[in-house]
Amino acid sequence: MSYISPISSRYAYSTARVKAMESGLISRESMKNIVQAKSPEEILAQLVQTEYKKDLEEFGGLKISSDLIDFALSKNLAVNVGKLITITPMEDKSITRAIVGKWDIYNIELAIEAKASRKSFDEISKYIIDYGPYNASMIKEALGEGSVEGLISKLMINSPYKDILAEALEEFRKSGDALQANMKIDKLYYQKLGMLMPRIRNLSPESATIVKLDIDMKNILLLIRAKRYMLKFGEIENSIIPNGSLSREELESIYENSKDESELAKNVKVFDLSNEAEAYKKERKLFAFEISMRNQILKKSIQLLSHTLLSFGTILAYAYIKEIEVLNLRALIKGKQYGLSQEEIGRMMVWRE
């Protein structure tokens, strides 16, 4: 008789629910067909044949504006994220909440950046993930404050991230720089997530590996941006996020032994960024590095997590795949709106095998 661990036993229901949710994901072949669409309207015609139909109908169905298509996608992501928390066993819900909290952090940082650059709610609404305590209505209310300081103070009220936001507010008051405040939020959020690493590793060693890669991506993007602006490592080391697979010393060595952004990207061994490093020399676009790293994290997550039975890993795998699906659809819609070529849009996509 085979042995089933207590962790596997309590994840039997969760795994069955996630497998049912996976049936609603857009297949690679369907995504290829959507890529071939010539306009946002054609994308819409294909999306109403998927599980996004209900969310699209909420915002006008086939008559929905192109901007609201993007907003409807975030509603779908929010619903599915909420399901993940619901189906996680009670003793592990705090871990799932911490991981999906990155969407809370995303909305907070979006609001801070918008306020600093004097953008209105209407200008950023389609980028908001309408989910959790920092949903669209809360962000709209916070943007009504008269300053970045006022906005952060508003977001601190009854917040699960009050301590993080308090340090971000202090950073902004000191530097007057919204980017520095957001970097502080990133560091503190991932630092807290990193403190859960022993519990995550106990539930699923594969999941711990993926979370570490997520932290690595944030740190590598920090190094590349810093190299672009010719900063010294000492000017950014306090923004390094701990608990990734690369230590602070390893990151410093990569930084100091790279003459520019392209060489730095090539010196990173956790991800293969050699092609992006060559393309960067011509195009000078930083987003290609992030897209590539997201691609590699996705492939690694599918490789490590998709075959883990009765495990927390099945929940994490779905979270990553669903996030990437929504990012892909958003990239497609924006690409069609701005008249980008199929090749340009393809480079913005994160492809599942």
Side-chain angles (χ1 to χ4, degrees), residues 319-339:
Y320 273 92
I321 293 169
K322 187 65 183 180
E323 178 188 15
I324 292 301
E325 179 176 283
V326 171
L327 288 174
N328 279 343
L329 291 172
R330 283 182 155 183
L332 274 168
I333 291 166
K334 289 170 193 169
K336 300 300 180 184
Q337 287 175 331
Y338 296 127

Side-chain angles (χ1 to χ4, degrees), residues 173-296:
R173 284 172 173 164
K174 182 174 64 177
S175 66
D177 188 339
L179 177 60
Q180 292 295 325
N182 279 346
M183 285 168 60
K184 175 70 73 172
I185 290 171
D186 260 346
K187 179 182 179 180
L188 295 175
Y189 164 70
Y190 279 99
Q191 194 167 292
K192 280 198 164 188
L193 186 59
M195 290 170 65
L196 292 171
M197 203 68 78
R199 288 181 60 193
I200 296 172
R201 191 179 298 111
N202 183 54
L203 287 173
S204 167
E206 298 88 354
S207 296
T209 297
I210 299 304
V211 173
K212 280 179 174 289
L213 285 174
D214 224 346
I215 293 173
D216 288 336
M217 179 180 70
K218 289 285 185 179
N219 283 333
I220 291 164
L221 288 172
L222 172 67
L223 296 190
I224 292 173
R225 290 190 184 102
K227 186 63 73 172
R228 180 168 183 164
Y229 293 106
M230 296 181 288
L231 302 178
K232 294 181 179 179
F233 185 80
E235 295 178 81
I236 62 165
E237 64 177 329
N238 287 335
S239 297
I240 295 291
I241 302 167
N243 297 306
S245 62
L246 294 171
S247 67
R248 191 204 69 82
E249 291 74 22
E250 288 173 305
L251 290 166
E252 181 177 13
S253 176
I254 291 171
Y255 194 79
E256 298 296 351
N257 290 300
S258 305
K259 65 181 180 183
D260 56 26
E261 304 95 283
S262 294
E263 188 172 322
L264 190 152
K266 288 180 179 179
N267 287 338
V268 171
K269 303 307 178 188
V270 177
F271 300 101
D272 181 1
L273 298 174
S274 52
N275 289 337
E276 289 70 29
E278 288 303 314
Y280 180 80
K281 292 178 181 178
K282 300 176 183 177
E283 301 176 356
R284 302 287 293 173
K285 292 180 179 179
L286 290 171
F287 80 88
F289 293 120
E290 182 173 357
I291 291 295
S292 177
M293 285 188 280
R294 284 187 181 279
N295 246 316
Q296 292 175 59

Side-chain angles (χ1 to χ4, degrees), residues 116 148-149 152 167-178 181:
V148 173
E149 290 185 31
I152 298 175
E167 291 204 39
L169 180 58
E170 182 180 345
E171 176 61 43
F172 183 79
R173 284 172 173 164
K174 182 174 64 177
S175 66
D177 188 339

Side-chain angles (χ1 to χ4, degrees), residues 39-57:
S39 67
E41 289 72 27
E42 287 190 21
I43 293 176
L44 171 62
Q46 296 192 51
L47 288 180
V48 294
Q49 307 301 318
T50 70
E51 74 158 24
Y52 291 95
K53 178 180 179 180
K54 180 180 177 181
D55 306 284
L56 291 166
E57 287 178 342

